Amino acid sequence: MGTYKAARNRTMMGIQESFWELYISQEKKRVTIEDVCRNADITRSTFYYYYNDIDDVLNSIKQKQMDLIHDLFETSNNEDRDFQSFLPRFQELFIENEKFLIPLVMEYKDPEFSMRYRSYIEDRMFNDLQINVEEPNTQTAETLSVIVSGLVHMFLNCLASNIISLEDANNMSNGMINTGLRWVLKEKYGVSIGFKKMVN
């Protein structure tokens, strides 16, 4: 990376870090450009060189988090249905970005983004579970949505709280699906789940 590009990235990150410090504090409900410039020790002209307005800073942070989770799914082996390669990388990504993800996703500081982030993971997990529905209907679709949403919620809570390991959460998911849920879904809703296990 060239010297100019490195300096530019440092300035952009400095603006984002300064904004975030103010954004997560309870001192002000609305962060202003003046606040960020003062906190980052930059001029307004420097701020406007990188961002159009204050919302642009927050949107860039949110977009970066969406890009990271998207890239994680895209670079994971789609055939690895037991999640053995995916979950450790998901945990690493979450830990590296928890200062953003816990307030935005877990604490619902931005409800719209929280739903967007969770929904993206749910959609991708739904595909990875290889779910096949014999007779699609509203009740079946809503039932599956609740199940997948619950799994994602459990994974995220495990990561945010550090009370239960992600491995244990994955084992519980595997147990729930294969000990009874698979049979109930098949017999009651005509839903089959393609993969047999989530862990070795």
Side-chain angles (χ1 to χ4, degrees):
M1 182 182 295
T3 304
Y4 171 77
K5 189 172 182 179
R8 187 174 186 277
N9 286 342
R10 281 196 301 272
T11 303
M12 289 184 68
M13 291 303 300
I15 293 172
Q16 288 186 15
E17 292 290 339
S18 295
F19 166 84
W20 194 253
E21 288 176 9
L22 297 165
Y23 179 73
I24 62 173
S25 73
Q26 299 301 315
E27 296 176 7
K28 296 193 70 170
K29 291 185 178 180
R30 175 72 176 172
V31 179
T32 67
I33 293 174
E34 289 77 9
D35 294 329
V36 173
C37 290
R38 190 181 310 111
N39 199 37
D41 194 24
I42 59 172
T43 63
R44 286 178 66 92
S45 60
T46 298
F47 177 92
Y48 283 118
Y49 180 81
Y50 294 99
Y51 298 100
N52 296 320
D53 52 39
I54 203 70
D55 291 333
D56 196 21
V57 183
L58 178 57
N59 290 335
S60 67
I61 291 172
K62 293 190 291 187
Q63 188 57 53
K64 175 65 179 295
Q65 296 308 311
M66 290 304 304
D67 290 343
L68 288 172
I69 191 67
H70 175 269
D71 290 346
L72 178 61
F73 274 102
E74 290 301 311
T75 56
S76 296
N77 185 356
N78 291 332
E79 297 305 317
D80 189 12
R81 303 300 184 183
D82 61 7
F83 292 82
Q84 286 300 289
S85 67
F86 175 80
L87 284 175
R89 295 177 65 198
F90 182 33
Q91 185 169 26
E92 182 180 354
L93 182 150
F94 192 95
I95 291 171
E96 289 177 353
N97 295 276
E98 63 181 1
K99 74 176 182 182
F100 301 116
L101 293 175
I102 289 179
L104 289 174
V105 178
M106 305 307 300
E107 297 175 351
Y108 294 93
K109 190 166 179 66
D110 188 318
E112 181 277 331
F113 178 78
S114 180
M115 292 301 297
R116 180 183 167 204
Y117 192 87
R118 290 167 182 268
S119 294
Y120 178 78
I121 298 174
E122 289 167 15
D123 290 343
R124 294 301 297 256
M125 180 173 279
F126 189 94
N127 291 332
D128 283 348
L129 291 177
Q130 301 178 53
I131 294 173
N132 180 52
V133 181
E134 293 176 4
E135 298 181 13
N137 58 63
T138 302
Q139 182 184 16
T140 300
E142 290 179 352
T143 299
L144 290 171
S145 177
V146 168
I147 291 170
V148 175
S149 177
L151 291 174
V152 171
H153 184 71
M154 181 172 66
F155 287 145
L156 289 172
N157 271 287
C158 289
L159 289 169
S161 67
N162 290 316
I163 295 174
I164 302 174
S165 72
L166 194 59
E167 182 180 0
D168 285 342
N170 197 40
N171 279 318
M172 286 189 285
S173 300
N174 180 52
M176 285 188 290
I177 289 175
N178 289 310
T179 303
L181 187 57
R182 184 186 296 275
W183 182 86
V184 171
L185 287 175
K186 181 64 176 175
E187 293 298 312
K188 189 158 182 69
Y189 299 102
V191 173
S192 58
I193 301 176
F195 79 111
K196 298 298 182 186
K197 61 183 179 179
M198 297 181 82
V199 294
N200 287 329

